[in-house]
Amino acid sequence: TPPEAIRNFCIIAHIDHGKSTLADRMLQITGVVEERAMRAQYLDRMDIERERGITIKSQAVRMPWEVEGHPYVLNMIDTPGHVDFTYEVSRSLAACEGAVLLVDAAQGIEAQTLANLYLALENDLTVIPVLNKIDLPAAQPEKYAEELAGLIGCDPADCFQVSGKTGAGVEPLLDAIVGQVPPPVGDPAAPARAMIFDSVYDTYRGVVTYVRVVDGDLNPRERIAMMSTKATHELLEIGVISPEPTPADGLGVGEVGYLITGVKDVRQSRVGDTVTNARTPADSPLGGYRDPKPMVFSGLYPIDGSDYPDLRDALDKLKLNDAALVYEPETSAALGFGFRCGFLGLLHLEIVRERLEREFDLDLISTQPNVVYDVTMEDGTEVVVTNPSEFPGGKVADVREPVVRATILAPSEFIGAIMELCQGKRGTLLGMDYLSEDRVEMRYTLPLAEIVFDFFDALKSRTRGYASLDYEPAGDQSADLVKVDILLQGEQVDAFSAIVHKDRAYGYGVMMAGKLKELIPRQQFEVPIQAAVGARVIARENIRAIRKDVLAKCYGGDISRKRKLLEKQKEGKKRMKMVGRVEVPQEAFIAALTSD
Ligand code: GTP
């Protein structure tokens, strides 16, 4: 297809504003998917995605569309909607010339609407403002058209009004994509350069790489090279998705499609990298490549220790499809053998954990997630801490923690509640703007550690669900952080060590000591539970001693009954972990790590 007849676009929206539904409707209206084959959310392929209603992996579909008798090819590139996947969103946007900015006509602009709009503008995309769900009785398209027009600087009348559900307004929108989005521009005679915007592992075909060709062309059976690694591969298949993969003779300037090379690991075909021809390579890659960087770490342990090899195999398999997942073996005195895993964020952690439990049938326990700390010792050595129990014990000169720039949108009546929450989380207000008379945008710098845990829930409950949040990494800052250890009879329980702000150390210590006192059964001797910062004890509880005689109830000489009881106790012992001389049921660890 000549570039003049191609339009590459994406749909960007706040979560639940109806992106997948509109995408499905476009597939149907352009005849790519027949009505009877239409299953809800065609583009969301993974079960978890469908159940949670979120999009994790971007996909690209080619749709034919005619305007005034001229045939066009529309490539719709689906973008993931969650903050954890911002980098993938930005790569998908870089593959397009236009973006449909979708806003729920009953909700108005939300934090991710803004975040995605800014990403689109950074990528010089033509933005088409669209109000969705106009079929809803609560829709206020006129009111929100004003808001949207004010934001992007257009006339409210230029905002399209559609319903992804009923299909109303979708055909004019497709016409507008052809009319407003510029066709791709590139040099057909130059060495090939194509940007990878997604990469998915398929059990049967190996890695399927989605690319957007910028210059030159890619053809079947030639050798291609990845510009970041210099690795070369033979192109086994090249094609387009419409809506199933269909082999093609090649991809030229502006075209979007997939490549199959037989590699087995998505790390060899990374999002953001540039594909070129191995024989006549391009001089320089396309800009914007970035290694995925884990931001949140957590220990994952099998509840049944004998599942450890299965957990390792499962992680190896997941890694094939997830370039951002990192892990290494770790041993915990309390939890046994497991892995320290790094994730892009909390949602990424939850998704990985859920896939491990569901697809690989594993029962797992995960430790409190933590961020990465850079510790400088007084003698100048630098330590990167991804596990609180490894926080160095010597003289610490400086501890740095990652911070984010957060954008919060909410009705203005909640300004006070939001400020109070952010101050409590060590936030710094950067600025505040009114989007309309009753809606405000607040910008904060916040430590990542303070928002990865319960920030979003706290924000929602203080604003009755009306606030929305988006954030992006913004470097790091020095902070007064200490490690709190929890000791049972003087022995440190590694899984409970935490790095917290100095002012929070006492609260954490009292909370954990109290919790463990409830959870750990009494022993033959007294067990002190202590919380300590270095050698200084900051909180203490005691578990009183008892003498436990399992045979006491068995008066009389029923020997078989006695034996049964002893057997039962032995079985119970297997599920006990020893911390020094103290027996702790595994359930106690699990409960202490999972509650609130
Ligand atoms: P993510 O993929 O998770 O970002 O969500 P999304 O933006 O794709 O939202 P999705 O298409 O899953 O729609 C969210 C909810 O809104 C679903 O319950 C849809 O049925 C509903 N919905 C989407 N479009 C419309 C619409 O035009 N009208 C009405 N009434 N409901 C809609």
Side-chain angles (χ1 to χ4, degrees):
T1 313
E4 305 80 63
I6 299 175
R7 299 292 183 273
N8 296 321
F9 76 101
C10 55
I11 305 174
I12 53 182
H14 188 74
I15 202 140
D16 281 343
H17 281 202
K19 189 180 65 181
S20 304
T21 307
L22 178 63
D24 285 349
R25 193 64 55 221
M26 287 179 168
L27 291 182
Q28 194 196 338
I29 288 175
T30 57
V32 169
V33 181
E34 282 174 51
E35 195 144 3
R36 65 187 152 79
M38 191 82 201
R39 68 190 140 100
Q41 304 195 353
Y42 200 91
L43 293 173
D44 286 355
R45 288 176 191 238
M46 276 196 272
D47 280 353
I48 293 183
E49 288 192 3
R50 199 163 299 133
E51 273 172 35
R52 292 188 167 220
I54 52 168
T55 310
I56 304 163
K57 278 287 171 191
S58 28
Q59 299 267 1
V61 196
R62 183 181 171 111
M63 305 181 289
W65 189 245
E66 254 182 43
V67 178
E68 290 165 1
H70 297 287
Y72 290 89
V73 166
L74 305 182
N75 290 307
M76 174 167 60
I77 293 170
D78 199 22
T79 55
H82 191 273
V83 283
D84 282 5
F85 306 101
T86 299
Y87 175 63
E88 293 195 16
V89 179
S90 83
R91 293 305 83 197
S92 304
L93 296 188
C96 304
E97 277 77 31
V100 168
L101 181 66
L102 197 65
V103 172
D104 186 326
Q107 305 279 329
I109 293 164
E110 298 286 0
Q112 280 149 36
T113 317
L114 286 185
N116 286 324
L117 172 65
Y118 297 148
L119 280 178
L121 296 176
E122 274 167 33
N123 283 288
D124 291 327
L125 304 194
T126 298
V127 174
I128 303 181
V130 178
L131 292 159
N132 189 29
K133 308 198 190 181
I134 52 163
D135 60 295
L136 284 178
Q140 294 178 278
E142 266 62 51
K143 174 178 172 192
Y144 292 121
E146 292 275 343
E147 211 178 82
L148 193 50
L151 181 67
I152 62 178
C154 66
D155 196 295
D158 295 338
C159 296
F160 284 78
Q161 300 194 2
V162 308
S163 164
K165 192 170 173 183
T166 66
V170 178
E171 293 193 14
L173 176 58
L174 288 166
D175 290 345
I177 291 168
V178 170
Q180 296 183 17
V181 175
V185 199
D187 181 353
R193 291 201 298 177
M195 191 198 59
I196 301 178
F197 61 88
D198 200 6
S199 191
V200 185
Y201 176 74
D202 178 287
T203 326
Y204 301 105
R205 321 209 58 185
V207 172
V208 181
T209 301
Y210 293 88
V211 295
R212 145 78 196 255
V213 178
V214 174
D215 293 322
D217 47 52
L218 293 171
N219 297 291
R221 309 224 71 88
E222 68 186 9
R223 270 197 99 67
I224 54 164
M226 302 294 169
M227 293 193 79
S228 77
T229 59
K230 308 274 185 291
T232 71
H233 308 282
E234 189 182 351
L235 211 45
L236 301 179
E237 185 178 317
I238 183 166
V240 297
I241 312 272
S242 191
E244 298 300 332
T246 314
D249 299 338
L251 295 176
V253 168
E255 288 194 288
V256 172
Y258 70 91
L259 312 174
I260 291 175
T261 59
V263 305
K264 286 274 181 272
D265 179 345
V266 291
R267 278 157 216 240
Q268 292 171 339
S269 192
R270 287 193 169 184
V271 171
D273 202 355
T274 302
V275 178
T276 188
N277 191 302
R279 226 156 21 94
T280 49
D283 294 336
S284 60
L286 301 162
Y289 176 68
R290 201 170 78 195
D291 262 331
K293 190 170 153 226
M295 302 291 284
V296 172
F297 282 77
S298 167
L300 283 183
Y301 293 84
I303 286 186
D304 179 349
S306 64
D307 281 344
Y308 176 76
D310 293 342
L311 175 57
R312 188 191 49 217
D313 292 348
L315 282 168
D316 285 346
K317 286 214 183 85
L318 278 193
K319 181 186 75 173
L320 297 175
N321 210 348
D322 189 344
L325 173 67
V326 298
Y327 54 90
E328 55 180 48
E330 166 179 270
T331 345
S332 152
L335 302 172
F337 291 104
F339 292 90
R340 176 120 306 240
C341 305
F343 307 93
L344 295 173
L346 270 204
L347 180 74
H348 188 212
L349 185 167
E350 274 176 43
I351 288 166
V352 168
R353 190 184 156 157
E354 201 166 315
R355 291 187 66 187
L356 288 170
E357 296 199 313
R358 190 186 305 202
E359 292 170 30
F360 300 92
D361 200 19
L362 292 162
D363 288 322
L364 300 174
I365 172 165
S366 51
T367 61
Q368 288 278 2
N370 60 271
V371 301
V372 184
Y373 298 96
D374 287 322
V375 182
T376 310
M377 308 301 288
E378 278 187 354
D379 65 7
T381 44
E382 306 249 345
V383 191
V384 176
V385 177
T386 58
N387 181 345
S389 71
E390 286 163 4
F391 194 84
K395 286 229 179 338
V396 171
D398 185 31
V399 185
R400 301 189 70 79
E401 63 174 346
V403 292
V404 299
R405 236 185 85 105
T407 306
I408 299 168
L409 256 67
S412 42
E413 62 188 283
F414 298 115
I415 290 176
I418 293 169
M419 283 186 157
E420 191 184 73
L421 173 68
C422 291
Q423 256 150 34
K425 300 285 186 185
R426 298 190 281 131
T428 312
L429 182 64
L430 296 173
M432 194 163 95
D433 287 307
Y434 281 83
L435 290 171
S436 59
E437 45 191 68
D438 54 358
R439 259 144 69 86
V440 62
E441 174 194 348
M442 300 168 79
R443 292 178 300 278
Y444 269 93
T445 303
L446 282 155
L448 178 63
E450 298 285 348
I451 69 166
V452 289
F453 307 121
D454 58 355
F455 186 80
F456 191 58
D457 291 339
L459 181 67
K460 283 280 175 195
S461 72
R462 278 166 194 245
T463 60
R464 293 205 306 275
Y466 282 116
S468 58
L469 166 75
D470 199 86
Y471 57 86
E472 56 180 11
D476 61 5
Q477 69 180 18
S478 292
D480 222 341
L481 300 168
V482 293
K483 180 177 71 150
V484 181
D485 290 318
I486 303 295
L487 300 95
L488 283 184
Q489 257 214 341
E491 294 274 339
Q492 183 193 326
V493 187
D494 52 9
F496 296 143
S497 293
I499 297 172
V500 295
H501 190 261
K502 206 181 64 189
D503 298 344
R504 299 279 171 73
Y506 176 73
Y508 178 79
V510 169
M511 188 265 299
M512 279 316 270
K515 224 185 221 181
L516 288 175
K517 184 185 175 185
E518 297 300 315
L519 292 167
I520 297 174
R522 292 154 92 186
Q523 316 268 319
Q524 311 271 11
F525 40 85
E526 188 178 86
V527 179
I529 306 171
Q530 294 164 309
V533 173
R536 191 163 51 89
V537 173
I538 55 172
R540 179 184 170 121
E541 293 278 0
N542 266 322
I543 304 174
R544 280 191 299 124
I546 54 153
R547 251 203 101 72
K548 185 162 120 200
D549 185 351
V550 285
L551 302 183
K553 280 188 232 130
C554 307
Y555 34 79
D558 184 348
I559 192 75
S560 75
R561 181 142 174 249
K562 270 186 199 168
R563 195 172 293 137
K564 236 190 210 153
L565 261 175
L566 286 171
E567 284 297 319
K568 230 180 176 168
Q569 200 194 32
K570 227 199 231 154
E571 228 168 68
K573 279 236 171 69
K574 271 196 273 173
R575 314 204 50 174
M576 294 283 182
K577 303 274 178 181
M578 298 300 291
V579 177
R581 284 165 62 218
V582 185
E583 280 180 351
V584 183
Q586 198 179 18
E587 285 73 40
F589 284 127
I590 298 173
L593 283 169
T594 48
S595 52
D596 63 83

